[in-house]
Amino acid sequence: MLAASNIHFCIKQRPIVDQASLSLKAGEVLAILGPNGAGKSTLFKILSGEVSCKHGSVGYNGCPIHNLKSKQLAEIRAVMPQHSQVNFPFTSQEVVELGLVACKTNKPQQLIKEVMELTQTSHLKERVFNQLSGGEKQRVQLARVLVQIWENKPFPRYLLLDEPTSALDIAQQHSVLQIVQELKNRNIGVLLILHDLNLAAQYADRIILLKNGIIAGCGETSEVLQEGILSKVFEHPVTIMVHPITGRKIISTDHFYSNPSKNLKPIQYGNSF
């Protein structure tokens, strides 16, 4: 389990993350949602180990993160930040191979082949990474972090993704999140930051709502995605409806939406925080 307890992080005495606690089990997807400036990326960096935190604790599989050497941590968790730069003229396959630098495996080429096929980047393997489009780069970087934890292991592993769908079109967004769903069957837990509430509703098992560094909501997706709390967190009217075919929740943020059709029935919630 990835577990964080009472994380408190300040910049110039201003709390960026305020007493945040969370957990992530292997086999589940946890999405962190919140407005800009809520502290999502800072919390993400603390959980990944990129930023150290004096107040609170972070641990992987029962071991405090500060007790794990870099290679040990690399075997347990892989991280894809929102922006990644490549300063050398590497091909796409060479970028993916970087994911294995800190890991031991007897079948590196097989793993690379599998994740590039999964992320639909095989045809890009000889292309220079910095000449790719934004969406292509995003998928190659996803392949890089996937290959790091792709090989089956007897212990739980974790994938941390910061806005993995930001540069992707609609089809690619769903393709990436379907890959995330597949990881649940490989003893992997996934934590991701998303901005699209409807993608979170469709793919996340649990959700954390973050506002001003404080966890304003945490729990099962169906419990957290409620009109009252979403409207308060995002400071914008939110309407939740039921899709007439799938029965899933649809989250509308149209400020002028007031007369839903008979096929899209609003669900009324009164929870607040």
Side-chain angles (χ1 to χ4, degrees):
M1 178 185 291
L2 163 57
S5 177
N6 298 321
I7 297 297
H8 190 77
F9 185 83
C10 295
I11 295 178
K12 296 182 179 179
Q13 299 184 337
R14 183 173 72 88
I16 306 300
V17 179
D18 193 355
Q19 302 297 328
S21 298
L22 61 88
S23 64
L24 171 66
K25 297 178 182 179
E28 71 174 357
V29 176
L30 173 64
I32 300 179
L33 309 175
N36 292 336
K40 300 186 299 296
S41 290
T42 299
L43 177 59
F44 182 92
K45 291 176 181 178
I46 293 170
L47 295 174
S48 70
E50 180 182 345
V51 171
S52 60
C53 186
K54 295 180 180 179
H55 305 286
S57 63
V58 177
Y60 284 86
N61 296 342
C63 184
I65 193 170
H66 59 265
N67 288 346
L68 293 168
K69 296 180 180 179
S70 57
K71 286 190 175 182
Q72 292 175 312
L73 189 56
E75 290 184 351
I76 298 173
R77 70 93 184 93
V79 181
M80 180 174 158
Q82 187 175 355
H83 303 291
S84 300
Q85 290 186 337
V86 175
N87 296 321
F88 299 94
F90 291 155
T91 65
S92 295
Q93 180 164 321
E94 288 172 332
V95 170
V96 176
E97 290 171 351
L98 292 175
L100 293 174
V101 168
C103 302
K104 295 180 180 179
T105 177
N106 295 322
K107 46 184 180 180
Q109 293 307 312
Q110 178 183 333
L111 295 177
I112 290 168
K113 181 175 183 292
E114 288 178 0
V115 299
M116 293 195 77
E117 287 178 352
L118 187 66
T119 56
Q120 302 177 36
T121 54
S122 298
H123 65 292
L124 303 172
K125 63 182 181 179
E126 301 300 331
R127 295 266 306 275
V128 176
F129 177 82
N130 285 330
Q131 295 178 358
L132 303 179
S133 69
E136 289 170 337
K137 288 179 179 178
Q138 193 93 330
R139 283 159 38 223
V140 170
Q141 290 290 355
L142 177 61
R144 175 184 63 80
V145 295
L146 282 177
V147 78
Q148 183 178 331
I149 56 173
W150 188 246
E151 190 172 16
N152 286 318
K153 299 286 185 179
F155 50 85
R157 288 146 296 140
Y158 308 90
L159 179 62
L160 279 60
L161 305 171
D162 189 353
E163 297 191 37
T165 60
S166 60
L168 305 180
D169 62 32
I170 294 173
Q172 291 172 349
Q173 288 177 1
H174 286 278
S175 177
V176 164
L177 292 174
Q178 286 164 7
I179 291 172
V180 165
Q181 287 287 315
E182 291 183 31
L183 295 178
K184 294 163 60 174
N185 298 321
R186 300 181 73 91
N187 201 23
I188 294 172
V190 183
L191 180 146
L192 68 165
I193 294 176
L194 289 174
H195 274 295
D196 191 313
L197 299 179
N198 284 297
L199 288 177
Q202 186 169 348
Y203 291 100
D205 298 307
R206 292 193 300 121
I207 285 176
I208 284 177
L209 293 176
L210 200 64
K211 181 177 176 65
N212 296 328
I214 298 172
I215 293 180
C218 178
E220 300 293 325
T221 298
S222 60
E223 297 173 354
V224 175
L225 293 183
Q226 301 184 13
E227 289 179 352
I229 191 170
L230 289 175
S231 297
K232 286 191 174 184
V233 166
F234 291 96
E235 299 181 3
H236 188 86
V238 170
T239 302
I240 297 181
M241 300 167 287
V242 176
H243 193 285
I245 297 175
T246 66
R248 289 177 175 156
K249 290 183 178 181
I250 301 174
I251 301 164
S252 171
T253 58
D254 189 341
H255 185 72
F256 300 101
Y257 186 84
S258 60
N259 186 26
S261 70
K262 61 181 179 180
N263 291 326
L264 295 176
K265 300 177 182 179
I267 303 175
Q268 300 299 325
Y269 295 99
N271 288 14
S272 60
F273 67 91

